[in-house]
Amino acid sequence: MSMVNIFKRVMKQKVLIVIISIFFSITGCQSSKKPEWKYPLEKVERLNSPLVEVEPFVFNGEFYLLESWRSDWDWPGQPNKEAGKNNEIWIAKLPNGPESYDKRNYISCALKGNIFGTAIVWEDRVYVFGTNEASGLQYVEMTWSEDLINWSAPVKVFDSPVGNIYNVSLTRDENGFVFQWETNEVGTYFTMCFGHIDKLTDNWNENVIEHALYGQDKYTGGPQVIYANGWYYLLYLERLENGWETRVT
């Protein structure tokens, strides 16, 4: 074989090797091993408080927390002595952002005699909803504020159609607002029920969506309903053998 033919053959082999290398590089076929997925959240510590519901929200560019204080507690750092005795829902400002919870400043009590609170911001107002404890968890009250200091007189927006009312949650969609509540009388504790209202001051009883249920066959609790990009998401607690974990559906 002449030197010319040997050179041509070697060059063909090198070109073939380069082409194969590029193919594997582009398709990722050089390795079938998938990269290991790492859980992105880090548990820092417990808040060490008797709060049963805490919800963050942003109002006028500032960070705030809604805190539901349960009765029969006397805890260092609580807003006042009454907060831990009368089932009160308080608003705390986070001047240094969400990471500095210990620097929070309590600015007002939004609702008294209520637990399982939730907040939603809409059109320069903050609306707070809570389940009335004195009623035996039979109805939901609502109040609103434009400055988080002065609150409107509470009004009843929902009477339980069956069983007790526990956590409530609201979200805004393209046509109004979705409300959600959990009950102990429709399937397994706690089944999630839903409805739709045009305005946050509307009555819920007239706007319940029939057969809109979740969790009839298993434990669900601590829910939050969220609407984003055409989809409704429900975060809730799933019961495990040794505790609970947050899931989404």
Side-chain angles (χ1 to χ4, degrees), residues 58-145:
V58 177
F59 183 59
N60 292 334
E62 302 281 356
F63 292 103
Y64 295 90
L65 282 179
L66 175 146
E67 298 185 348
S68 294
W69 288 83
R70 202 69 182 266
S71 63
D72 301 324
W73 287 91
D74 189 7
W75 209 263
Q78 65 191 30
N80 58 32
K81 287 289 184 181
E82 299 303 315
K85 296 179 180 179
N86 300 326
N87 297 311
E88 295 185 350
I89 297 177
W90 277 77
I91 304 298
K93 185 177 182 179
L94 299 172
N96 299 323
E99 294 82 4
S100 299
Y101 175 75
D102 58 331
K103 300 297 191 299
R104 69 197 181 282
N105 299 319
Y106 290 107
I107 60 176
S108 68
C109 175
L111 280 174
K112 293 185 178 182
N114 282 261
I115 56 176
F116 304 123
T118 189
I120 183 170
V121 179
W122 176 241
E123 291 187 339
D124 300 321
R125 289 181 177 180
V126 175
Y127 293 81
V128 171
F129 296 79
T131 303
N132 186 276
E133 174 77 10
S135 71
L137 305 182
Q138 288 295 300
Y139 65 81
V140 173
E141 289 187 309
M142 181 274 293
T143 182
W144 58 264
S145 175

Side-chain angles (χ1 to χ4, degrees), residues 22-210:
I22 293 174
F23 173 79
F24 278 104
S25 177
I26 294 175
T27 62
C29 295
Q30 67 271 25
S31 174
S32 60
K33 184 179 180 181
K34 295 182 179 180
E36 183 179 352
W37 182 80
K38 184 179 179 181
Y39 187 68
L41 301 180
E42 179 183 356
K43 180 179 178 181
V44 180
E45 61 181 344
R46 296 182 183 274
L47 294 180
N48 192 31
S49 79
L51 300 177
V52 287
E53 264 70 39
V54 176
E55 182 168 4
F57 63 93
V58 177
F59 183 59
N60 292 334
E62 302 281 356
F63 292 103
Y64 295 90
L65 282 179
L66 175 146
E67 298 185 348
S68 294
W69 288 83
R70 202 69 182 266
S71 63
D72 301 324
W73 287 91
D74 189 7
W75 209 263
Q78 65 191 30
N80 58 32
K81 287 289 184 181
E82 299 303 315
K85 296 179 180 179
N86 300 326
N87 297 311
E88 295 185 350
I89 297 177
W90 277 77
I91 304 298
K93 185 177 182 179
L94 299 172
N96 299 323
E99 294 82 4
S100 299
Y101 175 75
D102 58 331
K103 300 297 191 299
R104 69 197 181 282
N105 299 319
Y106 290 107
I107 60 176
S108 68
C109 175
L111 280 174
K112 293 185 178 182
N114 282 261
I115 56 176
F116 304 123
T118 189
I120 183 170
V121 179
W122 176 241
E123 291 187 339
D124 300 321
R125 289 181 177 180
V126 175
Y127 293 81
V128 171
F129 296 79
T131 303
N132 186 276
E133 174 77 10
S135 71
L137 305 182
Q138 288 295 300
Y139 65 81
V140 173
E141 289 187 309
M142 181 274 293
T143 182
W144 58 264
S145 175
E146 295 178 346
D147 59 11
L148 298 181
I149 297 175
N150 301 292
W151 294 88
S152 67
V155 295
K156 185 195 299 185
V157 295
F158 185 51
D159 279 297
S160 173
V162 60
N164 301 109
I165 304 169
Y166 295 90
N167 287 279
V168 296
S169 178
L170 296 99
T171 189
R172 180 175 177 265
D173 64 10
E174 296 169 349
N175 300 308
F177 301 87
V178 171
F179 62 88
Q180 173 275 323
W181 80 97
E182 58 176 315
T183 179
N184 58 345
E185 288 294 336
V186 181
T188 304
Y189 289 26
F190 296 93
T191 298
M192 308 302 165
C193 310
F194 301 87
H196 197 277
I197 51 179
D198 296 325
K199 299 180 297 183
L200 289 170
T201 53
D202 288 347
N203 182 274
W204 293 10
N205 288 87
E206 302 168 0
N207 297 280
V208 173
I209 301 175
E210 189 176 4

